[in-house]
Amino acid sequence: MLLTLIAPLLFAASAAESPTPQLVVENCKFGETFAFSPAECTIDVRNAGDKRVRIARILPSNATDSISPSNASLAAGESVKLKVQVQPDLAVGLTNRMFLLDTGETKQVPTYAYAQGFVGSVLDDPRPSVNFGDIVLSGPLPTREVVLSSREAGDLRATGIVEAPEFIDAAIGKDGRTVRVAYKASAPWGARSADRIVVSLSSPQQTKTAITISANIIGAIAPEKEPFDLGVVRTDADRDYFIPLKNPSGKPFRSGSVKLEGFKGGKADLVDCAPAQAGCKRIRITGGKGVGFGPLEAMATVELPEHKQYLPIRLTATALPPGVDPAPEPEETLTDEQKRLMADPKARGANDIREILKAKVRETNAPPPAGRGPLLKWSVANEEAVYGYVIYRGDSEAGPFVRISKETIPAGTFEAGYANAYQWRDTSAVVGQTYWYSIGLINKDGTKDSLTGPQRVVAK
């Protein structure tokens, strides 16, 4: 069985190092771990200078990570081993966890050390989330469901709610896979983008996951839009910009302080609407002079004491000098065929196969894996964003499919115009049994895709 397909391009990033000349750092690799599962490795640091170096503090960039010892004093030529423990939480994908080696020497370039590895997930969707959109607290409060599925662990179950904000109801359904979520009437007003609940899982590889929840909570007082667009902010002088706040019932409301963030040099207060309206006030933002050129994102937070709320309002604008008009919207450049391929994954896949056949397959010189059982072969081009491959097996075309490759099959070296060849043998197959195989890929950002559909094989 020979499969030739293309993998999608995604983003990958790497961290640069800026060492202090006297300290030589050998970064460590913790290999593969799973979300919410700690990993460990050891960083070596050597004093390559001719004088003693005192490292006053060794600080992790992520507060949940730890390193020991947390300081050191190294004579010339002396080394120290730093034991690192990484707590990846939900940070799936290739990761570089950074540590600052603070020598207290302000004139020297800072020294950084890194713990590097890959954080995977047993879930098909490694970052489960739900977006409620607008929720009007005076109306019916909606409920949303998130289904946690896994081909890594076919019997995976959610076993409990570990953490949840007090203003969110969360419960696990009878099937052990569905998590029901709803905001309470006590939810803070305004845009919510970082709320989450933590759910315990039955998998020994990954004992927890987090579901990110977002919504725009509309209370008794609200802006006309969220986020609110101020339009064009001119940078030559301070001007007034207004954001109406209204109570739909028409009742007057008391307001307290207004906090403005992200609008350099700007000031904010509350004034009456013009013309005056019952239950209406305006946030007045005065500023613009000295604001940098380009897109502007800011936040205004209004105190509403009688409702015991602080209402955050996201602000957007385009900062331009006088006489400069905003850039026009770009013209549509996609052809009808490109739109069709973007809207239809099946059609897009067929088109990719034709393109990939032009690639030169870089055959592996390695012998086939030892043993008996179905030998799967495939080749893939355009792997720049691919971390590796996994094999799933089912007893029928409809599944269910469960991962049978214990280790991730690492992606080969990327080179434009070439496809890498792979082979893997299922030594656990029973002779004469019919199986269906599917090859999945794991991207460097931790997301997962199917490289192939189910393929029928009779074990020999």
Side-chain angles (χ1 to χ4, degrees), residues 30 48 62 105 122 140 142 153 169 186 196 246 291-292 305 313 323 348 382 401 416 425 438 455 458:
F30 58 80
N62 190 301
E105 297 291 337
V122 298
D169 275 327
S186 59
R196 75 175 197 170
K246 294 184 178 180
V291 172
I313 305 169
R348 184 167 71 249
N382 210 5
F401 288 84
R425 189 184 298 278
S438 174
Q455 305 289 325
V458 178

Side-chain angles (χ1 to χ4, degrees), residues 248-272:
S249 69
K251 295 180 180 179
F253 60 91
R254 291 189 298 110
S255 57
S257 61
V258 183
K259 182 180 179 181
L260 182 63
E261 299 172 282
F263 197 112
K264 184 179 178 182
K267 297 180 180 179
D269 61 358
L270 273 156
V271 297
D272 291 333

Side-chain angles (χ1 to χ4, degrees), residues 22-297:
Q22 282 186 292
L23 293 179
V24 176
V25 177
E26 184 177 337
N27 297 324
C28 68
K29 298 181 183 295
F30 58 80
E32 293 185 12
T33 189
F34 285 89
F36 288 94
S37 300
E40 296 180 348
C41 62
T42 301
I43 295 172
D44 289 330
V45 179
R46 180 172 60 88
N47 179 3
D50 55 5
K51 296 180 180 179
R52 177 175 293 275
V53 174
R54 289 180 173 82
I55 306 174
R57 301 181 300 168
I58 305 175
L59 303 174
S61 60
N62 190 301
T64 61
D65 295 342
S66 62
I67 190 165
S68 178
S70 58
N71 57 70
S73 179
L74 302 179
E78 189 178 4
S79 299
V80 64
K81 293 185 179 296
L82 306 176
K83 295 182 179 180
V84 171
Q85 185 175 77
V86 172
Q87 298 283 354
D89 197 78
L90 200 62
V92 296
L94 283 175
T95 183
N96 284 301
R97 306 301 274 253
M98 185 172 68
F99 299 84
L100 170 65
L101 279 61
D102 181 11
T103 62
E105 297 291 337
T106 58
K107 295 183 179 180
Q108 290 185 336
V109 178
T111 298
Y112 296 100
Y114 297 90
Q116 304 165 328
F118 186 85
V119 181
S121 175
V122 298
L123 298 175
D124 295 334
D125 179 0
R127 301 181 183 91
S129 63
V130 59
N131 185 352
F132 281 82
D134 289 345
I135 296 179
V136 181
L137 293 180
S138 61
L141 299 180
T143 298
R144 295 286 186 269
E145 294 184 346
V146 179
V147 178
L148 304 177
S149 63
S150 173
R151 292 195 294 175
E152 306 281 328
D155 59 349
L156 180 77
R157 292 293 183 270
T159 57
I161 304 298
V162 179
E163 298 175 20
E166 61 181 10
F167 50 84
I168 289 179
D169 275 327
I172 298 171
K174 293 181 179 180
D175 63 357
R177 293 174 178 266
T178 302
V179 181
R180 296 185 179 90
V181 182
Y183 278 94
K184 299 178 184 179
S186 59
W189 298 353
R192 311 289 306 178
S193 60
D195 293 333
R196 75 175 197 170
I197 60 173
V198 178
V199 180
S200 58
L201 302 175
S202 61
S203 169
Q205 292 95 345
Q206 180 180 337
T207 59
K208 292 187 288 187
T209 190
I211 301 174
T212 302
I213 308 167
S214 57
N216 180 35
I217 308 296
I218 301 174
I221 314 299
E224 292 180 345
K225 294 181 294 183
E226 217 298 328
F228 190 90
D229 187 13
L230 298 175
V232 176
V233 171
R234 296 297 179 183
T235 60
D236 61 322
D238 289 337
R239 293 176 173 83
D240 289 339
Y241 304 89
F242 295 96
I243 305 147
L245 292 179
K246 294 184 178 180
N247 185 341
S249 69
K251 295 180 180 179
F253 60 91
R254 291 189 298 110
S255 57
S257 61
V258 183
K259 182 180 179 181
L260 182 63
E261 299 172 282
F263 197 112
K264 184 179 178 182
K267 297 180 180 179
D269 61 358
L270 273 156
V271 297
D272 291 333
C273 287
Q277 301 176 41
C280 179
K281 291 187 178 183
R282 295 184 297 170
I283 302 173
R284 177 175 60 189
I285 295 176
T286 303
K289 189 174 183 179
V291 172
F293 169 81
L296 174 65
E297 294 184 358

